[in-house]
Amino acid sequence: MSSVAVLTQESFNEHRNGLMPEQSGAPGAGPGAGEEEEALPTYKDAFPPLPEKAASPEGTQETTNAWTSKIRPLKSSVITQVFHVPLEERKYKDINQFGEGDQAKVCVDIMHKTGAHLELSLAKDQGLSIMVSGKLDAVMKARKEIVSRLQTQASATVAIPKEHHRFVIGKNGEKLQELELKTATKIQIPRPDDLSNQIKISGTKEGLEKAKHEILLISAEQDKRAVERVNIDKVYHPFITGAYNKVVGEMMQETGARINVPPPSVNKTEIVITGEKEQVALAVTLIKKVYEDKKKNATTIAVEVKKSQHKYVIGPKGNTLQEILDKTGVSVEIPPSDSSSETVILRGEPDRLGQALTEVYAKANSYTISSVTAPSWLHRFIIGKKGQNLAKITQQMPKVHIEFTEGEDRITLEGPTKDVQMVQGQIEVIVTDLISRMDYTEISVDPKFHRHLIGKGGVNINRIKELHKVTVRIPPDNEKSNLIRIEGDPQGVQEAKKELLELASRMENERTKDLIIEQRFHRAIIGQKGEKIKEVRDKFPEVIINFPDPANKSDIVQLRGPRNEVEKCSKFMTKIVAEMVENSFSVSVPIFKQFHRNIIGKGGSNIKKIREETNTKIDLPAENSNSEMIVITGKKVNCEAARNRILAIQKELANITEMEVSIPSKLHNSLIGSKGRLVRSIMEECGGVHIHFPTEGSGIDKVTIRGPVEEVEKAKQQLLALAEEKQTKSHTAELRAKPEYHKFLIGKGGGNIRKVRDSTGARIIFPTADDKDQELITVIGTEEAVREAQKELEELIKSLDNVVEDTMNVDPKHHRYFVSRRGQVLRDLADEYGGVMVSFPRTGTSSDKVTLKGAKECVEAAKKRMQEIVEDLDAQVTMECVIAQKFHRSIMGPKGSRIQQITRDHNVQIKFPEREDPQAAAAAAAAAAAAPPTEAPIQENGEANGEVKEPVDPNAPKKCDVIVLSGRKERCEAAVEALKALVPVTIEVEVPFELHRYIIGQKGSGIRKMMDEFEVNIQVPAPEQQSDKISITGLANHLDRAKEGLLDRVKELMAEQEDRALRSHKLTITVDPKYHPKIIGRKGAIITTIRTEHDVNIQFPEKNDENQDQITITGYEHKAIAARDAIQAIVNELEDMISEDITLDSRVHARIIGARGKGIRKIMDEFKVDLRFPQSGSADPNLVTVTGRPELVDEAIDHLLNLEEEYMADVVENEAKMAYMRPPGGSAAAMDDHRGPSKGFVVREAPWTTGSEKAPDMSSSEDFPSFGAPVPTKASPWGPKRF
């Protein structure tokens, strides 16, 4: 095994200093300078020359010099050890698998675990040699792993006394782990509850022996130590310890043993002595000697001393007893505080007892206790604000302790007799004065109302205190007392009593009520940004309304306030909810799509009239929607009325009826068909009647059919026939046809398919737009009927597949109509007539021949339809409608929707003129106005300058105002009337100019909202005009609603202005700037709460503001006053507080503060005070500041001083322990301190002091080059170096 020495701190210090004092031959440092110089090492000692080789007959020998004898070799941090495992102890003996298998895996695992490097080799005797390299701890761990995993294990036991086992284990098991690492063994120590003293060791034979040896050494060392317990009567303990522990201290110093005497507060007689056996024996002898001596010579006397004076005999921390013992050698025994005995026993030498007795009585009578009768309610007035009154007395008589006991009508005084008498006289004068001018009363109020009397943040009670100059004491909740005490000026007390009783009686009349309101209505009741609930709260200001959190999904709304007001508010809210429930009723009315425009009416007049008169909301489906349902929302009665009126309009327009048919409910699903296809086919076939089946599972047999009389009858017959078929026998067949043929197969108005159904009795269902398979046609009926219908349909489809070509003549002037709008008319013809293709001659040719190509029937039908269109075009007229251009945009409507509606309704074409350029028109008008009047030129035969001009009619309409309509005459006339009805009208509404900007709103949002809501244009005059007139332009039937809406908005704005004026009330409160941070609170928490609760703005002064003590409050007057009172309450509370500095030993600060401040928080919460400990580096590290109410500050200080006393005992004891645990020689730093300030490293007989050599220049880069810096080369006599 090879290893390298490790460099330790001691060897490094030794190397740095050259030689240790004992090596240098200097036994110690003397007082003289010469001796100091002799103690310095010589240059050769400090820097010995390298050894020279000397020839000798025995061979080369190492020269012993300073390098080998005085300087310890440095040790590398990496060491190498070789371990040998004999063949018989190897776990893995398979020679063929060397370098592989389990043995190799174990070695790799050990390297990974420990970080050491392992190399295996096989010796001639088949033993295993393992070389381990690495850090010391890694090598030791690897060694332990090698022994346990590659070497067979042996075991042995060693028996040592049970009480020595803990020394083998060591602190936290460290000693045991070190022993196992050192010996490469596993050591098992029996548990404390196991009576066995056998320690089991397992490992290699060598390791077993080492471990056994180490354990026996530990046990032998412990055998040398002893513990002795001596029972000495408790009364003699003071003589053994001596005054201030002097005697026991001398004993411990003399013997070297540790003597533990139980403190007086512990009722134990046993004194424990520990140490070496001889030391313990000597200490026991000394203790017994003192005990025997005192037992033999001491006598006792008993004297009676008042119980209240015992503490003066004991003194602070028992100092007085120690003082008497020190002076007289007499022990004074005081009965325990919980005993009623007043007997004090003095024990000691007879000749000393008299002196001790004198001392006891002197101490007992040095202080006196007296009391002054004073009603407890006057105590705080005697103390004064922040203890000012009491401070005047205590400053004069600092030795007098004045104690006020809560609930007792007396004040206790304690201190020197003369001082107590003077203080007693002063307090009696104060008491007499206060009784003559102060009064108090008590009132009984139920504790449940106490917090309401106090008010939020104490606002109510503080107002009463300030107003009547009284003090009101409301008992805390934990007392459960109903007595409220009022103290102060007699008149103020009576007034405060009256006001509090009134408040209490009002609260007794208060009640809480829960309203059950469905959560879906909560948001509607609250309104946007709480507007609606604000109105309710303003109406019932004394009632508090609490809505549950939406996440709780609760229906309970809580009302609290005066009984009558709560009832009124409850009824009002119930009424609101009832209205909401009524207004949320909804009904759907199916109305034929073609009648929707008639229900809307001209310009929406019909639908608006129904909405206004029935007070309902009516929603129609979008124009591009297939839905026919009109949804009516509102009160049930109103919805029914609106529904009847809409149905009546439909009935007037068409002969609509409603009929009920009884069909067994079990057949309903089969009649409806898959996805409603069957019933939809009946509705379409019968002119779009509405068939309503009852809800599935209801068991109702009645099916409702509504529509034109003839169609309803037809649908009824089909339904009954279909139901009969379903009950008897039903058969289904499917066939396919191109989707473009479907419309032709159905025929106009379902004529073709009706013929097939009438002839065969089968029902034919075509796919809807939502169906995936657009070619599938379903036939339903009896087997025979289905077969016949299928045959007819197949023939029709076959004939459609037979494409023919035909021609017809169409006047070229009509060609444009067919091909315009990208051939929309031709596309419609193709869709309706089985995909027939229509070809018109090319543009520019004069041909009138039009070609039609497709199925024969389709071509014939399409040809017939085109002839009808041509006839209509021939009958067309052109009509002009004059409407001023400025109204054209309004008539067109958004995206031309209004004009499109008129075009569809009246089947006409409408063309608007080109817009006139307003700038060109204005320029022309200006030029005409500026031209000078001239004589008319002479005309001959109506000619002027060769040109004939017709006279211009000044009343003729402008081209830009003329709208051209094309269509049949009667339709064009109806369309002109419809256009004229869309011409907007303008009215003016008077609105105060200062409200205009609020009506416009932010970025015009307000005015846009009104224009969208009332479908009008609102024009606000420019600000420079200062006009009160606002123009509203729109349809005549919209103007009244718009005007009403605008005036309502004006009323709202005026109300807001009044409210704004009320909210701008300002109050200023003067508060000392030192209280501002407390009022603001941490991160503004307190001031934010006040702002939120009272809905006010509170402004603190800026840094550079002159009035630093002014706080400004802005809001409603009553809320501003309430906020001011809340701030004043905080200020009053802060003013009542005092700050006191106390001295607490800084060594106990950490324990008082506790882990993460837990201890200090507990004290602050318990005593309601603020504690400030000094920061590191402060002038007085022991100074602690306590802030709070005077009585609480005193209690907190007492508590802190008690904690200090308790913790200091531990600190002193720990420091004493540390003193014994400190190494005797002290640390290297202590040695350095002892030597004094360092003069650097100094040697004698250096070459630069004895010879001509100069000392090296420390600043020279040549003598002391730095790493990486270029070094200038010295000039050489041989010339420059060559490389």
Side-chain angles (χ1 to χ4, degrees):
M1 183 180 80
S2 66
S3 63
V4 183
V6 178
L7 177 66
T8 63
Q9 184 64 40
E10 291 79 4
S11 62
F12 177 73
N13 289 338
E14 188 179 324
H15 174 67
R16 183 189 65 183
N17 295 327
L19 296 169
M20 295 298 284
E22 58 270 16
Q23 288 175 322
S24 64
E35 290 178 9
E36 284 183 12
E37 192 175 336
E38 286 177 10
L40 294 173
T42 63
Y43 180 78
K44 284 186 178 179
D45 289 336
F47 302 101
L50 291 172
E52 295 179 2
K53 291 183 181 179
S56 64
E58 289 84 7
T60 305
Q61 276 186 329
E62 283 188 19
T63 307
T64 303
N65 58 23
W67 283 106
T68 56
S69 63
K70 295 187 176 76
I71 304 298
R72 295 179 188 172
L74 296 174
K75 289 184 180 180
S76 168
S77 61
V78 176
I79 67 167
T80 303
Q81 290 189 2
V82 178
F83 305 110
H84 186 72
V85 181
L87 176 65
E88 61 274 12
E89 291 184 16
R90 279 179 58 189
K91 266 191 183 177
Y92 306 99
K93 297 181 182 177
D94 193 347
I95 299 165
N96 298 326
Q97 282 197 342
F98 182 73
E100 57 185 57
D102 292 338
Q103 189 168 258
K105 287 177 186 176
V106 168
C107 289
V108 170
D109 187 40
I110 291 170
M111 285 196 284
H112 284 159
K113 265 189 184 178
T114 63
H117 179 70
L118 272 66
E119 289 184 16
L120 271 70
S121 59
L122 205 61
K124 288 181 181 179
D125 61 353
Q126 300 305 317
L128 197 63
S129 292
I130 304 153
M131 186 168 72
V132 186
S133 304
K135 303 263 181 160
L136 180 62
D137 58 338
V139 169
M140 297 308 289
K141 285 178 185 174
R143 176 190 174 195
K144 184 180 175 184
E145 290 285 331
I146 289 165
V147 168
S148 63
R149 297 175 67 177
L150 294 178
Q151 200 167 351
T152 54
Q153 302 291 296
S155 64
T157 58
V158 58
I160 62 169
K162 186 77 176 175
E163 58 267 23
H164 294 173
H165 286 193
R166 64 193 181 90
F167 299 104
V168 176
I169 297 168
K171 189 178 181 181
N172 297 327
E174 289 173 2
K175 183 71 178 175
L176 183 62
Q177 289 172 8
E178 184 190 339
L179 202 57
E180 286 182 334
L181 264 177
K182 189 175 176 183
T183 61
T185 57
K186 177 70 179 170
I187 301 169
Q188 293 177 339
I189 296 174
R191 296 176 61 81
D193 52 0
D194 189 349
L195 298 176
S196 172
N197 62 353
Q198 299 283 336
I199 295 175
K200 188 177 178 183
I201 311 164
S202 55
T204 61
K205 289 179 182 177
E206 183 187 354
L208 289 178
E209 292 302 321
K210 280 185 183 178
K212 220 187 242 187
H213 176 69
E214 291 290 339
I215 291 168
L216 291 171
L217 272 179
I218 291 167
S219 180
E221 188 181 338
Q222 293 306 316
D223 279 337
K224 293 178 184 178
R225 296 187 65 80
V227 177
E228 189 76 33
R229 291 175 172 79
V230 182
N231 280 310
I232 303 290
D233 289 344
K234 188 76 178 173
V235 294
Y236 294 106
H237 285 193
F239 301 111
I240 291 165
T241 57
Y244 306 110
N245 290 325
K246 285 179 184 175
V247 175
V248 77
E250 288 169 3
M251 284 185 191
M252 286 195 285
Q253 194 171 356
E254 184 183 340
T255 62
R258 182 182 174 84
I259 302 169
N260 184 15
V261 181
S265 57
V266 178
N267 192 21
K268 282 187 178 178
T269 59
E270 189 177 70
I271 297 173
V272 180
I273 306 105
T274 56
E276 298 290 334
K277 287 183 179 178
E278 297 80 6
Q279 296 172 345
V280 169
L282 181 57
V284 169
T285 305
L286 291 174
I287 288 168
K288 286 185 176 178
K289 184 182 177 184
V290 172
Y291 169 61
E292 294 296 337
D293 180 48
K294 291 298 176 185
K295 191 176 180 184
K296 181 180 179 184
N297 298 323
T299 59
T300 60
I301 59 168
V303 293
E304 296 295 318
V305 178
K306 287 182 183 177
K307 191 75 178 174
S308 59
Q309 294 177 324
H310 285 191
K311 59 184 176 181
Y312 307 128
V313 177
I314 296 168
K317 299 182 183 178
N319 279 344
T320 305
L321 292 177
Q322 295 294 324
E323 186 185 331
I324 294 168
L325 182 60
D326 191 29
K327 276 186 183 179
T328 65
V330 174
S331 166
V332 181
E333 297 166 19
I334 307 289
S337 57
D338 55 356
S339 168
S340 59
S341 173
E342 293 186 341
T343 304
V344 175
I345 298 169
L346 281 72
R347 189 183 306 273
E349 302 288 336
D351 55 338
R352 296 290 188 91
L353 288 174
Q355 185 187 350
L357 186 59
T358 305
E359 288 284 339
V360 167
Y361 277 122
K363 297 293 182 185
N365 295 321
S366 61
Y367 280 75
T368 187
I369 297 174
S370 182
S371 64
V372 178
T373 302
S376 59
W377 63 274
L378 285 178
H379 287 186
R380 60 189 198 82
F381 299 106
I382 296 166
I383 294 166
K385 193 174 185 181
K386 296 184 180 178
Q388 288 175 355
N389 297 348
L390 209 58
K392 291 175 186 175
I393 299 170
T394 52
Q395 281 170 6
Q396 294 171 1
M397 308 291 176
K399 292 184 180 178
V400 177
H401 175 69
I402 305 170
E403 186 176 337
F404 294 83
T405 308
E406 190 176 353
E408 291 186 11
D409 293 339
R410 65 189 178 88
I411 302 166
T412 307
L413 310 177
E414 185 180 329
T417 308
K418 286 183 181 179
D419 292 355
V420 165
Q421 288 171 356
M422 289 181 71
V423 171
Q424 185 173 350
Q426 290 179 19
I427 291 176
E428 282 172 351
V429 170
I430 294 170
V431 171
T432 307
D433 176 56
L434 287 171
I435 289 172
S436 65
R437 59 185 179 85
M438 299 287 284
D439 193 9
Y440 80 94
T441 186
E442 289 182 344
I443 59 173
S444 181
V445 176
D446 195 320
K448 68 182 178 183
F449 300 131
H450 287 184
R451 62 191 184 92
H452 301 298
L453 288 177
I454 294 165
K456 194 172 279 186
V459 65
N460 294 346
I461 203 69
N462 287 332
R463 181 184 57 77
I464 292 168
K465 285 178 180 178
E466 190 178 340
L467 183 65
H468 304 297
K469 308 295 181 193
V470 295
T471 303
V472 183
R473 186 191 178 277
I474 297 176
D477 294 342
N478 56 2
E479 285 186 17
K480 295 182 180 176
S481 169
N482 58 357
L483 284 179
I484 295 175
R485 189 182 182 93
I486 310 165
E487 301 167 354
D489 180 68
Q491 186 181 350
V493 167
Q494 293 306 315
E495 288 173 357
K497 176 183 177 182
K498 183 181 176 184
E499 188 170 345
L500 283 170
L501 287 172
E502 283 175 4
L503 274 171
S505 64
R506 202 184 308 159
M507 283 167 194
E508 283 174 1
N509 191 34
E510 193 176 80
R511 65 164 294 190
T512 300
K513 185 172 183 178
D514 290 343
L515 276 182
I516 306 298
I517 299 173
E518 287 183 61
Q519 196 181 30
R520 63 192 175 108
F521 295 126
H522 289 187
R523 289 186 71 179
I525 294 168
I526 293 166
Q528 193 173 10
K529 295 182 181 177
E531 290 172 0
K532 292 187 178 177
I533 198 64
K534 186 176 180 295
E535 291 173 11
V536 179
R537 284 175 174 148
D538 290 344
K539 192 170 184 178
F540 303 98
E542 295 181 37
V543 179
I544 296 167
I545 305 168
N546 289 323
F547 283 85
D549 191 324
N552 294 342
K553 297 182 179 178
S554 171
D555 295 338
I556 297 170
V557 177
Q558 193 179 70
L559 310 180
R560 185 165 59 80
R563 188 184 300 273
N564 296 336
E565 289 297 306
V566 166
E567 287 301 325
K568 286 178 188 174
C569 184
S570 172
K571 286 176 183 176
F572 182 76
M573 290 190 70
T574 307
K575 187 180 176 184
I576 291 172
V577 174
E579 286 176 6
M580 284 183 174
V581 171
E582 281 184 336
N583 292 331
S584 63
F585 181 79
S586 181
V587 64
S588 297
V589 188
I591 299 295
F592 295 107
K593 194 80 175 177
Q594 62 266 33
F595 299 134
H596 282 197
R597 62 174 180 268
N598 304 96
I599 286 162
I600 294 166
K602 193 176 285 186
S605 57
N606 290 352
I607 198 75
K608 282 173 187 170
K609 188 177 180 184
I610 296 169
R611 282 172 179 159
E612 288 169 4
E613 291 180 2
T614 61
N615 193 23
T616 55
K617 182 185 175 187
I618 302 172
D619 295 314
L620 283 89
E623 288 180 15
N624 55 358
S625 168
N626 292 325
S627 172
E628 294 183 339
M629 289 293 180
I630 295 176
V631 180
I632 308 166
T633 309
K635 292 182 180 178
K636 187 175 182 180
V637 178
N638 295 345
C639 288
E640 292 296 335
R643 177 175 176 271
N644 293 336
R645 288 184 64 170
I646 290 170
L647 289 172
I649 292 170
Q650 182 179 243
K651 202 167 185 181
E652 284 174 17
L653 295 167
N655 187 17
I656 303 298
T657 186
E658 191 173 289
M659 186 182 288
E660 289 183 348
V661 184
S662 183
I663 296 173
S665 58
K666 64 182 179 180
L667 298 176
H668 289 185
N669 281 343
S670 59
L671 291 176
I672 293 167
S674 174
K675 297 181 182 179
R677 287 174 65 192
L678 187 53
V679 75
R680 199 162 47 242
S681 71
I682 296 171
M683 288 194 289
E684 288 171 0
E685 194 174 323
C686 299
V689 295
H690 290 287
I691 302 173
H692 177 69
F693 283 85
T695 310
E696 188 179 354
S698 62
I700 299 170
D701 294 340
K702 289 181 181 178
V703 178
T704 306
I705 310 169
R706 189 172 68 256
V709 177
E710 300 83 5
E711 302 297 339
V712 167
E713 188 60 38
K714 200 186 294 179
K716 176 187 173 183
Q717 296 303 326
Q718 288 198 26
L719 273 174
L720 291 171
L722 197 57
E724 192 177 344
E725 284 177 18
K726 292 285 181 184
Q727 280 181 311
T728 53
K729 188 179 179 184
S730 180
H731 189 72
T732 303
E734 293 178 349
L735 64 154
R736 292 181 173 277
K738 292 177 183 177
E740 56 264 28
Y741 293 164
H742 290 188
K743 281 190 178 180
F744 187 77
L745 290 172
I746 294 166
K748 193 171 184 178
N752 295 348
I753 209 70
R754 197 179 297 114
K755 285 178 187 176
V756 177
R757 199 198 69 241
D758 291 344
S759 63
T760 62
R763 173 154 301 285
I764 298 142
I765 301 170
F766 286 86
T768 63
D770 298 330
D771 290 337
K772 287 183 180 179
D773 195 343
Q774 290 292 309
E775 292 188 355
L776 186 67
I777 300 170
T778 308
V779 186
I780 300 172
T782 60
E783 189 175 354
E784 187 180 348
V786 166
R787 189 166 54 249
E788 289 179 14
Q790 190 175 3
K791 186 179 177 183
E792 284 192 35
L793 284 170
E794 283 173 350
E795 287 174 2
L796 273 172
I797 292 164
K798 192 175 180 183
S799 67
L800 288 173
D801 286 335
N802 182 21
V803 177
V804 297
E805 191 174 309
D806 198 359
T807 59
M808 65 178 291
N809 296 324
V810 177
D811 195 318
K813 68 180 180 182
H814 299 314
H815 288 191
R816 184 177 178 79
Y817 173 81
F818 286 99
V819 298
S820 63
R821 292 180 293 158
R822 298 182 182 178
Q824 181 63 44
V825 177
L826 297 179
R827 282 201 299 275
D828 291 344
L829 285 169
D831 288 344
E832 193 171 349
Y833 299 104
V836 67
M837 292 175 63
V838 182
S839 301
F840 279 80
R842 289 181 178 277
T843 309
T845 61
S846 57
S847 174
D848 62 353
K849 188 177 178 184
V850 177
T851 307
L852 294 88
K853 189 176 182 182
K856 188 177 180 183
E857 288 81 358
C858 294
V859 168
E860 289 298 327
K863 190 175 178 183
K864 187 178 177 183
R865 175 63 187 140
M866 286 180 71
Q867 286 169 349
E868 289 173 2
I869 292 169
V870 169
E871 285 175 12
D872 275 350
L873 292 171
D874 287 335
Q876 268 189 359
V877 297
T878 301
M879 197 173 282
E880 291 182 351
C881 177
V882 179
I883 295 173
Q885 188 186 36
K886 63 181 179 179
F887 301 127
H888 288 188
R889 187 185 294 276
S890 174
I891 290 167
M892 287 180 185
K895 297 182 181 178
S897 58
R898 291 175 181 168
I899 214 70
Q900 288 169 13
Q901 186 67 36
I902 293 171
T903 303
R904 280 196 301 271
D905 290 350
H906 301 285
N907 194 19
V908 294
Q909 287 185 337
I910 301 172
K911 184 180 180 184
F912 280 80
E914 295 292 330
R915 290 182 64 81
E916 183 183 36
D917 187 355
Q919 291 181 352
T934 57
E935 290 184 8
I938 298 169
Q939 296 184 9
E940 293 180 5
N941 299 326
E943 294 179 1
N945 299 329
E947 292 181 3
V948 179
K949 290 189 178 178
E950 294 181 7
V952 178
D953 185 0
N955 297 323
K958 293 181 183 178
K959 282 186 179 181
C960 62
D961 296 339
V962 178
I963 301 170
V964 179
L965 296 88
S966 302
R968 287 186 177 268
K969 186 180 179 182
E970 63 276 9
R971 291 176 183 171
C972 286
E973 287 171 353
V976 167
E977 290 302 317
L979 283 171
K980 287 182 177 178
L982 293 175
V983 175
V985 181
T986 302
I987 61 169
E988 287 187 343
V989 182
E990 194 162 332
V991 176
F993 173 72
E994 62 270 15
L995 299 180
H996 287 191
R997 63 195 183 98
Y998 301 111
I999 286 167
I1000 294 168
Q1002 193 175 15
K1003 295 182 181 177
S1005 60
I1007 203 162
R1008 273 201 305 276
K1009 184 182 175 186
M1010 291 177 73
M1011 289 196 291
D1012 291 344
E1013 186 179 348
F1014 302 116
E1015 298 180 33
V1016 293
N1017 181 41
I1018 301 173
Q1019 190 70 35
V1020 179
E1024 55 268 15
Q1025 294 179 12
Q1026 299 281 312
S1027 172
D1028 291 343
K1029 303 287 185 183
I1030 290 181
S1031 302
I1032 306 175
T1033 305
L1035 300 181
N1037 52 356
H1038 292 176
L1039 291 179
D1040 291 339
R1041 286 178 58 245
K1043 181 179 178 180
E1044 189 181 341
L1046 183 58
L1047 292 173
D1048 288 345
R1049 178 66 180 144
V1050 169
K1051 286 178 187 175
E1052 284 177 21
L1053 290 171
M1054 292 181 81
E1056 284 176 14
Q1057 274 190 334
E1058 290 173 13
D1059 183 62
R1060 206 175 294 116
L1062 291 171
R1063 285 181 69 92
S1064 60
H1065 180 78
K1066 281 192 177 182
L1067 272 182
T1068 304
I1069 181 171
T1070 303
V1071 176
D1072 193 323
K1074 69 181 180 183
Y1075 297 135
H1076 289 190
K1078 292 286 184 182
I1079 294 167
I1080 292 166
R1082 190 178 180 188
K1083 295 183 180 177
I1086 296 171
I1087 201 68
T1088 303
T1089 305
I1090 295 171
R1091 281 174 178 151
T1092 308
E1093 282 181 7
H1094 302 288
D1095 191 22
V1096 292
N1097 181 32
I1098 302 171
Q1099 197 68 35
F1100 284 82
E1102 298 291 337
K1103 284 185 180 178
N1104 53 358
D1105 201 334
E1106 290 180 4
N1107 301 320
Q1108 284 294 307
D1109 58 351
Q1110 299 290 323
I1111 298 174
T1112 307
I1113 306 167
T1114 309
Y1116 292 114
E1117 185 177 1
H1118 66 285
K1119 291 187 175 180
I1121 291 168
R1124 182 196 65 190
D1125 293 344
I1127 292 171
Q1128 191 59 51
I1130 295 169
V1131 172
N1132 292 343
E1133 191 175 337
L1134 292 169
E1135 284 178 348
D1136 288 344
M1137 290 185 180
I1138 62 166
S1139 288
E1140 280 196 26
D1141 292 338
I1142 60 168
T1143 301
L1144 289 182
D1145 196 302
S1146 58
R1147 290 174 291 178
V1148 301
H1149 288 190
R1151 282 197 66 180
I1152 292 172
I1153 292 167
R1156 297 182 182 177
K1158 192 175 179 181
I1160 194 172
R1161 277 199 302 274
K1162 185 179 176 184
I1163 295 168
M1164 287 162 72
D1165 291 344
E1166 185 179 345
F1167 294 99
K1168 304 291 185 293
V1169 294
D1170 185 48
L1171 297 181
R1172 288 286 176 270
F1173 282 81
Q1175 294 181 347
S1176 58
S1178 59
D1180 187 354
N1182 301 324
L1183 195 68
V1184 177
T1185 305
V1186 187
T1187 306
R1189 293 184 177 277
E1191 62 277 11
L1192 297 176
V1193 167
D1194 289 341
E1195 289 178 15
I1197 288 172
D1198 288 344
H1199 181 70
L1200 288 169
L1201 292 172
N1202 288 340
L1203 286 177
E1204 182 197 26
E1205 185 178 343
E1206 182 184 335
Y1207 295 157
M1208 276 305 294
D1210 295 341
V1211 169
V1212 171
E1213 186 178 345
N1214 288 336
E1215 286 180 352
K1217 284 181 184 176
M1218 292 302 292
Y1220 286 112
M1221 291 167 68
R1222 208 173 278 134
S1227 62
M1231 287 174 65
D1232 291 343
D1233 291 344
H1234 180 70
R1235 281 197 292 266
S1238 174
K1239 295 178 182 178
F1241 184 60
V1242 182
V1243 293
R1244 293 181 292 118
E1245 300 174 13
W1248 53 84
T1249 58
T1250 56
S1252 58
E1253 291 184 35
K1254 293 171 75 177
D1257 183 5
M1258 301 289 284
S1259 61
S1260 168
S1261 60
E1262 292 179 13
D1263 293 338
F1264 296 95
S1266 27
F1267 288 109
V1271 181
T1273 55
K1274 291 183 178 180
S1276 170
W1278 303 104
K1281 292 182 181 178
R1282 292 177 184 172
F1283 298 99

